């Protein structure tokens, strides 16, 4: 399936000593392994002060007064700044995008001014010589609140009796999308069975191990702000910081060093980070903000929290005729900036039913405001919702007509030779491989043997279940994602690559690294295309002063977009090098190649000149070159997908679980994934993206939930009560691949970052329901806690 | 998330520690292993004025067998309990329980005295003390007091310890030949506090129990010795019917709370499951496994 | 008495004298006073394991110890274990297996893994999972970490040919 195109030109895939498709260790690992990395939380600058934010204890309240007199007198305190005071240096923002028609939100300030809208919103900044001193002083700031009624339950947010959070907006509806394709009513009427269910998803969050961290350094003498931040999108931060601080973009430099996990948590603009930039400008000194774990739970974006009604119509022969959904999600009091909080619901509408041939699809999604922490895009945006609803419905339909879950999928998944084609929601698929993936996973897990085990164990009162979930995944987003809506978020990436005087290769890329392996895959591509060993390639990323302009690393775009830019830039450099080599060697570029750091003859592979010797001549003895020759040993290329708005990938997951029907505990025994991300640059990195993603999905399936009370108070904002997946409960995960490269790029790579998270919860939920089949109960709520399972079983 | 400022005193002797506590009373907190106290201080849930660090008091450390009594110093760490041959021999229930306490790095610091003084109703060791019929040795202004474990735990995080008292040792009767134990808990993740747990110490006589001590935890304000259920099951031939009756009795002995993990009904249910599993295991009677009316 | 207390200890074999406020925890002492930033702070309430170091040869959560408590103690951090070469093979196993992504949990994870391998040369996968169950990793899903520790254990018990 992985045919090589452009055989007449250079292909990165088939060069001698190519690193493409090989597992090679990431070049940056040793500093992480030896405790020598540089995370923002490690940073110190001369005169640096620390900020702690006093945060609202109320979900919704008017700020009557703030008395900071006592706090200002506390030891070590430099300043106490309120929202009103900070507004002198930073303007508010509104998180809307024009392509999400009707999306509305209210202006949000860096620090609340008159009113707080969620528990955890900052009401004052306390700047001191240490974080501890700032926290001491924060206890001395007296804030008088007048509590307002909180909108906590998204289900009643639109009721007439519910207070409107932002009166200027008229109601609590942030966004609504309706979609109707095919002939849905006729399809349901023609169905032999119609099944409906309501799927409930817990609100959860990213829990990056390194919390959000920023050091902002306004140097008044240079009129320049340097922002050291663990962000996925440095140029986006540069643009927005400049815009709201009244600076030109060249006055803002964003530096992103090592980042302790991101997963979409660190791709947004947070009020407290904006406040930190502004405080640095106001106080003319470096200010450090590191969210502590409690602040992280209260202010890092949350995700999911959907309640989605679903309906499926199916013929007796298994043919799925229609899907219908009605999705509701609550996003907190503001749409996040600048990516907005409507994207997840929008994705749910886009993705439901996506793997299947059925053309009849009706959907409604409503996004409502509430007085809880803000919600926005977290790993696999919308995918787990869409996949759980779709795959849950498919299993329910199969159960209803008595068909095996694998069989119903085989009969309805889009055929692998049917591409290009489009989904009923209008998504365009270039080439997917659902059927091949399903065949492969059935083999990997030995499906029939597992079914036999299941039957044998059931006789002994042991209840095991198998769950299958096919999925599609959005990767390599073009400008269709954000740019068309007016966001200054680049969908293209740039790479500059040069051969230095000693023969080493320096590569500057606009994608960023948070552990996915951006640095490694860039070095692999550059080394392979150029013909040099990876240890000669140094990759520079995460600095707006030092790299080409680009989007960064999010939405599974680094390998597909940044990787292609690296490939194309290196091709140009290679050509430039061969041009010079031909002059030096009195040959022609076509007769020469670069292999193992040296120029050789294409014809017989004979060694001609080392690259470092060539570089020496170019940089130090250009006088020895013929007249008129001006060598150019640096090349820059940018890339953005133009044909398809997104490069869709696909895959399937399977879970094997055991449910203790006395206790409601679920044991994850084994998990399998087959996915198709096109060209695989580094198999190990892809597999580990999948595994890590799966476990984030398993966390959602079994453990993770931000638990709010009816007053909008987050009641488990710590790592003891919010349960993240730990090693003791996680299964081994087998990963397999089908390879359908995208023709949109020469590299052919699509993304792989969302796939694991997309389908894990659906597979586990289906497996639990499969295990509970003898008990005639169906659970469509996650997390699948013992309480939920025992309740469903009628045990309590 | 930084602790409030406090003063620090490193006690040089038991007498010195008691003196510090006598002077400062409830403004002081005793620092033993610190694995519950320090997180609470970091979160500013508690802000003591003075920390009395008893970590240097060697006399509070160690495990010894004195006749028919196992004496465990208050500063004995979970890791020590896990590795001690005395514990394996004389109180194997404790060894079984400690394996469920948190994680290795926590067990290297956390102490048995700290755990009992903290009196978290969801923690393992207080329930073990009930099952083992332990005695808690306390020193205070009036000298030494010996308090039966059954009397010691008085509420959520509350014990018979006054602000001027120090828990110095635990005395556990050496397990008699023929005794057996059972320990199981239901926790969401490895090392988490239990939703419900059971620490049981029994004497078997043929296919019956001559003595049965069932220490449940995470079932109310304090660990609970389920006496009514135990009484019904002691000396009798255990049938599924009897187990069902005992289970019903058990449910009324417990007064569990609602929290984010479980409703009271779920906790009662899980306690019944544990009782059935305990009996099934100790009597090697798989038929009892699901016989508790669950 | 909220005034600084003087302490004397060794850190990675080097003698250290310091005056510290009683409230300063060991993690912050190592990071902020000694600039040993390889010890990470992930939760500050003893759950995540990122701040795991060795005190007197045993692993502890450095966010759950006060700097004043380590007076007279021998502390070892990831920097010390790296420089001495003690865990070079374990680090190589992590590298080969890509058992880390963002790397923030890695120093604590290595501390816990080495602790296991010192007391149990041939741990099963279950035992590895159990011993590391107090160390949170958001990136890897743990499978690769378990593999790496298993591989390192095997390599240690099988003498080089």
């Amino acid at each position: 399936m992985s045919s090589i195109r452009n055989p007449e030109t250079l292909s990165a895939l088939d060069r001698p000593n190519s690193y493409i498709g090989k597992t090679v260790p990431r070049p940056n690992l040793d500093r992480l392994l030896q405790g020598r990395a540089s995370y923002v939380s490690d940073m110190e600058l001369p005169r640096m002060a620390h900020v702690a934010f006093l945060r609202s204890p109320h979900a919704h309240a008017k700020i009557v007064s703030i008395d900071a007199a006592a706090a200002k007198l506390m030891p070590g305190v430099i300043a106490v700044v309120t929202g009103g005071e900070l507004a002198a240096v930073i303007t508010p923002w509104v998180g809307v995008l024009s392509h999400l028609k009707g999306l509305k939100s209210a202006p949000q300030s860096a620090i609340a001014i008159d009113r707080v809208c969620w528990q955890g919103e900052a009401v004052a900044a306390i700047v001191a010589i240490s974080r501890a001193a700032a926290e001491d002083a924060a206890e001395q700031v007296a804030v008088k609140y007048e509590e307002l009624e909180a909108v906590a339950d998204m289900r009643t947010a639109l009721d007439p009796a519910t207070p409107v959070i932002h009166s200027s907006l008229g109601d609590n509806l942030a966004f609504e999308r309706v979609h109707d394709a095919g002939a849905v009513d006729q399809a349901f009427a023609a169905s032999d069975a119609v099944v409906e269910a309501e799927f409930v998803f817990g609100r959860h969050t990213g829990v990056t191990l390194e919390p959000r961290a920023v050091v902002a350094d306004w140097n008044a003498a240079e009129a320049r702000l340097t922002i050291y931040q663990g962000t996925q999108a440095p140029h986006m931060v540069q643009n927005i910081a400049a815009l709201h601080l009244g600076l030109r973009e060249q006055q803002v430099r964003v530096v992103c060093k090592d980042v302790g996990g991101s997963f979409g948590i660190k791709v947004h603009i947070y009020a407290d980070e904006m406040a930190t930039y502004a405080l640095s400008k106001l106080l003319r000194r470096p200010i450090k903000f590191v969210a502590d774990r409690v602040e992280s739970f209260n202010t890092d974006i949350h995700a999911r929290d959907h309640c989605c009604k679903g309906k499926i119509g199916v013929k007796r022969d298994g043919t799925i005729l229609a899907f219908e959904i009605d999705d509701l999600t609550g996003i907190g009091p503001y749409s996040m900036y600048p990516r907005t909080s409507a994207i997840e619901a929008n994705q749910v509408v886009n993705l439901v039913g996506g793997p299947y041939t059925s053309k009849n699809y009706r959907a409604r999604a409503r996004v409502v405001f509430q007085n809880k922490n803000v919600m926005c895009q977290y790993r696999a945006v919308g995918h787990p919702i869409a996949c759980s609803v779709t795959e849950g419905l498919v299993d329910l339909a199969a159960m209803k007509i008595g068909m095996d879950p694998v069989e119903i999928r085989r009969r309805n998944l889009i055929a692998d030779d049917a591409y290009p084609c489009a989904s009923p929601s209008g998504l365009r698929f270039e080439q997917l491989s659902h059927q091949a993936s399903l065949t492969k996973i059935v083999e990997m897990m030995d499906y029939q043997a597992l079914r036999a085990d299941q039957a044998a164990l059931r006789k002994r009162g042991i209840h095991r279940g198998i769950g299958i979930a096919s999925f599609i995944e959005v990767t390599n987003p073009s400008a269709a994602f954000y740019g068309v809506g007016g966001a200054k978020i680049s969908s293209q990436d740039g790479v500059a690559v040069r051969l230095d005087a000693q023969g080493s290769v320096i590569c500057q890329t606009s994608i960023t690294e948070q552990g996915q392996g951006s640095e490694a895959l860039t070095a692999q591509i550059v080394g392979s295309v150029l013909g040099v060993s990876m240890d000669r390639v140094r990759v520079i990323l995460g600095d707006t002063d030092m790299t080409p302009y680009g989007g960064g690393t999010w939405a599974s775009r680094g390998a597909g977009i940044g990787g292609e830019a690296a490939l194309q830039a290196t091709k140009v450099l290679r050509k430039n090098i061969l041009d010079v080599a031909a002059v030096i060697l009195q040959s022609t570029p076509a007769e020469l190649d670069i292999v193992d750091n040296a120029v050789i003859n294409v014809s017989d592979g004979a060694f001609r000149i080392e690259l470092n010797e060539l570089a020496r001549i170019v940089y130090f003895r250009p006088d020895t070159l013929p007249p008129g020759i001006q060598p150019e040993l640096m090349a820059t290329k940018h890339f953005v997908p133009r044909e398809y708005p997104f490069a869709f990938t696909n895959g399937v997951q399977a879970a094997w679980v055991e449910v203790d029907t006395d206790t409601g505990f679920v044991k994850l025994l084994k998990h399998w994934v087959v996915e198709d991300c096109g060209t695989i640059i580094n198999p190990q990195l892809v597999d580990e993206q999948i595994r890590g993603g799966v476990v984030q999905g398993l966390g959602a399936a079994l453990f993770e939930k931000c638990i709010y009370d009816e007053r909008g108070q987050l009641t488990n904002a710590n790592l003891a009560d919010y349960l993240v997946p730990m090693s003791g409960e996680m299964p081994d995960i087998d990963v397999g691949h089908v390879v359908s490269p995208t023709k949109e790029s020469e590299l052919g790579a699509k993304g792989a970052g969302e796939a694991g998270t997309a389908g894990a919860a659906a597979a586990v939920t289906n497996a639990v329901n499969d295990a509970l089949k003898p008990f005639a109960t169906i659970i469509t709520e996650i997390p699948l806690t013992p309480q939920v399972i025992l309740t469903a079983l009628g045990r309590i | 998330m930084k602790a409030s400022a406090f003063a620090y005193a490193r006690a040089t002797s038991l007498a010195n520690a008691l003196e510090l506590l006598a002077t400062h009373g409830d403004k002081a907190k005793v620092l033993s292993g610190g694995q519950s106290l320090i997180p609470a201080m970091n979160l500013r849930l508690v802000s003591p004025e003075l920390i009395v660090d008893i970590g240097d008091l060697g006399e509070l450390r160690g495990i010894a067998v004195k006749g028919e009594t196992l004496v465990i110093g208050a500063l004995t760490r979970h890791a020590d309990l896990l590795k001690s041959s005395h514990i394996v021999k004389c109180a194997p229930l404790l060894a079984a329980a400690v394996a469920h306490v948190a994680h290795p790095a926590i067990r290297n610091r956390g102490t048995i005295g700290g755990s009992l003084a903290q009196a978290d109703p969801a923690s393992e060791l207080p329930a073990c003390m009930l099952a083992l019929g332990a005695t808690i040795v306390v020193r205070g202004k009036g000298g030494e007091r010996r308090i039966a474990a059954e009397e010691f735990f008085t509420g959520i995080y509350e014990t018979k310890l006054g602000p001027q008292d120090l828990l110095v040792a635990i005395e556990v009767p050496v397990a008699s030949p023929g005794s057996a134990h059972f320990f199981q808990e239901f926790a969401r993740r490895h090392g988490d506090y239990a939703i419900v747990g059971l620490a049981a110490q029994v004497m078997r006589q043929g296919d019956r129990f001559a003595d049965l001590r069932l220490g449940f935890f995470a079932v109310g304000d304090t660990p609970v010795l389920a006496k009514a259920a135990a009484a019904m099951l002691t000396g009798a031939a255990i049938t599924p019917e009897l187990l069902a009756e005992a289970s019903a009795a058990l449910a009324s002995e417990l007064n569990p709370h609602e929290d984010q993990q479980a409703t009271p009904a779920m906790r009662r249910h899980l306690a019944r499951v544990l009782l059935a599993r305990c009996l099934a295991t100790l009597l090697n009677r798989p038929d009892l496994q699901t016989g508790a009316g669950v | 008495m909220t005034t600084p207390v003087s302490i004397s200890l060794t850190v990675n074999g080097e003698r250290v004298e310091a005056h510290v406020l009683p409230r300063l925890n060991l993690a912050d002492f190592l990071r902020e006073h000694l600039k040993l930033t390889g010890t990470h702070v992930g939760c500050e309430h003893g759950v995540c394991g990122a701040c795991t170091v060795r005190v007197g040869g045993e692993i502890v959560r450095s966010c759950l110890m006060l700097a004043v408590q380590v007076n007279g103690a021998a502390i070892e951090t990831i920097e010390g274990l790296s420089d001495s070469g003690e865990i070079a093979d374990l680090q190589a196993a992590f590298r080969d297996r890509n058992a880390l992504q963002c790397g923030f949990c890695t120093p604590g994870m290595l501390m816990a893994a080495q602790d296991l391998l010192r007391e149990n040369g041939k741990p099963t996968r279950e035992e590895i999972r159990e011993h590391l169950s107090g160390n949170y990793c958001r990136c890897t899903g743990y499978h690769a970490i378990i593999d790496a520790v298993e591989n390192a254990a095997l390599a240690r018990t099988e003498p080089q040919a």
Side-chain angles (χ1 to χ4, degrees), chain A residues 122-140:
Chain A
V123 293
I126 297 90
V127 180
I129 55 166
S130 70
R131 171 80 189 205
E135 289 185 21
D136 291 346
E139 291 185 339
Q140 303 302 318

Side-chain angles (χ1 to χ4, degrees), chain C residues 9 12 35-36 44 54 73 77 136 150 154:
Chain C
L9 62 154
N12 299 327
K35 313 298 176 193
L36 290 165
E44 297 180 277
R54 283 205 309 228
T77 69
Y136 172 53
E150 195 177 32
L154 282 174

Side-chain angles (χ1 to χ4, degrees), chain A residues 354-696:
Chain A
Y356 297 102
T357 52
S358 162
K359 290 291 169 210
N360 306 305
Y361 176 45
R362 186 157 56 212
R364 176 171 76 152
R366 286 171 302 158
V367 176
V368 300
F369 293 116
Q370 53 186 174
N371 293 112
K372 293 182 179 175
N373 182 23
V374 287
M375 270 211 345
C376 200
Q377 285 79 284
Y378 162 59
R379 191 175 201 168
V381 188
H383 293 65
I385 313 294
C387 183
S388 291
V389 170
T390 305
E391 295 302 276
L393 288 171
V394 169
D395 264 24
L396 286 175
M399 229 177 263
K400 186 98 176 195
I401 59 169
M403 187 174 278
D404 181 89
V406 169
E407 186 55 31
I408 193 170
R409 286 174 174 81
R410 199 163 270 149
R411 291 184 187 201
N412 288 282
L413 287 167
I414 300 172
D416 295 349
D417 60 3
Y419 300 93
C421 63
S423 79
S425 64
L427 307 174
R428 290 164 56 213
F429 303 132
E430 182 193 359
Q431 177 65 55
L432 302 178
S433 58
H434 287 297
Q435 295 285 352
S437 299
L438 183 65
T439 301
K440 182 153 188 168
I441 207 164
V442 163
E443 277 169 29
M444 276 168 66
M445 65 196 288
D446 200 348
Y447 183 76
Q448 292 310 332
L450 278 188
R451 283 285 178 216
D453 282 358
Q454 180 187 38
L457 289 166
R458 206 164 255 167
K459 286 182 194 144
R460 292 167 41 203
I462 296 170
H463 300 285
R464 293 191 173 179
I466 300 169
I468 310 277
S470 290
F471 61 89
I472 52 173
E473 176 196 13
V474 178
T475 78
N476 292 4
S478 72
F481 212 11
Y482 293 115
V484 296
K488 288 184 175 152
I489 300 169
S490 183
S491 52
Q492 60 87 57
D493 274 290
V495 169
V497 60
R498 70 176 191 260
L499 184 70
D500 261 11
Q502 271 73 41
S504 58
V505 179
I506 311 293
C507 173
Q508 294 146 293
T509 175
S510 60
I511 63 170
T512 55
E513 171 81 85
Q514 300 97 32
Q516 303 91 333
S518 303
E519 194 178 330
L521 70 89
T522 302
Q524 281 180 266
I525 291 166
V526 171
S528 300
V529 174
L530 199 55
V532 302
S533 49
M534 263 178 78
D535 58 13
R536 290 219 183 176
V537 182
R538 179 163 177 76
V539 179
I540 294 168
L541 27 64
D543 186 339
T544 57
D545 267 9
M546 304 287 287
T547 69
Y549 201 93
T553 298
W554 41 270
S556 292
R557 62 191 303 287
I561 298 177
E564 178 68 8
L567 185 152
Q568 296 302 336
T570 311
K571 276 175 71 176
V572 175
L573 176 62
R574 183 174 173 281
K575 177 188 175 299
N576 292 358
I577 291 171
L578 290 179
D579 285 348
V580 179
V583 170
I584 295 171
L585 301 170
Q586 299 182 335
S587 176
T588 64
E591 291 174 291
L592 301 171
D593 194 3
I594 307 169
V595 174
D596 287 343
N597 311 312
V599 177
I600 60 160
N601 283 335
V602 172
S603 57
D604 57 3
F607 167 85
R608 298 299 303 273
I609 185 172
E610 289 275 5
L611 279 188
N612 52 5
E613 175 60 9
L614 180 143
R616 185 191 67 80
I617 294 167
V618 167
Y619 286 108
F620 304 125
R621 293 305 305 276
D623 57 305
T624 64
L625 297 174
I629 298 287
Q630 290 287 351
E632 179 57 67
L633 296 192
M634 181 161 183
T636 304
K637 277 285 185 184
H638 291 76
F639 177 74
V640 65
R642 296 298 307 274
E643 290 173 39
Y644 283 86
F646 307 99
F648 272 93
T649 77
N650 69 280
V652 58
Q653 299 197 22
W656 175 231
V657 309
E658 182 173 314
V659 182
D660 183 333
T661 53
D662 286 337
T663 65
F665 276 64
V666 176
K667 187 170 170 55
L668 304 171
L669 300 168
K670 183 91 187 179
H671 203 94
W672 297 265
V673 183
V674 171
E675 70 85 55
D676 181 349
C677 63
T679 302
I680 294 172
I681 299 164
N682 185 324
Q684 188 182 56
L685 295 188
V686 171
D687 287 359
E688 295 318 317
Q689 275 300 297
I690 302 294
R691 289 196 174 97
V694 164
V695 168
Q696 284 185 22

Side-chain angles (χ1 to χ4, degrees), chain A residues 135-136 662 702 715 729, chain B residues 1 44 188 190 260 269:
Chain A
E135 289 185 21
D136 291 346
D662 286 337
L702 295 186
T715 59
E729 291 70 37
Chain B
M1 191 191 292
R44 297 200 180 200
R188 294 294 301 281
H190 200 91
Q260 296 179 341
H269 166 81

Side-chain angles (χ1 to χ4, degrees), chain B residues 63-130:
Chain B
I63 303 166
V65 181
K66 292 180 183 165
E68 287 306 299
T69 305
L70 178 71
V71 182
I72 306 169
L75 282 182
T76 305
R77 304 170 310 156
H78 294 107
D80 303 326
L81 295 173
L82 207 50
K83 286 175 191 155
S84 159
S85 56
H86 285 316
I87 296 289
V88 171
K89 223 172 97 201
C90 304
L93 172 64
L94 269 184
V98 168
H100 294 267
V101 177
H103 309 283
I106 301 282
R107 295 198 291 261
N108 282 338
R109 292 294 307 163
T111 66
I112 185 167
S115 170
L116 300 183
Q118 175 74 11
D120 188 317
S123 71
E124 292 84 356
L125 296 185
C128 291
M129 295 302 116
L130 297 187

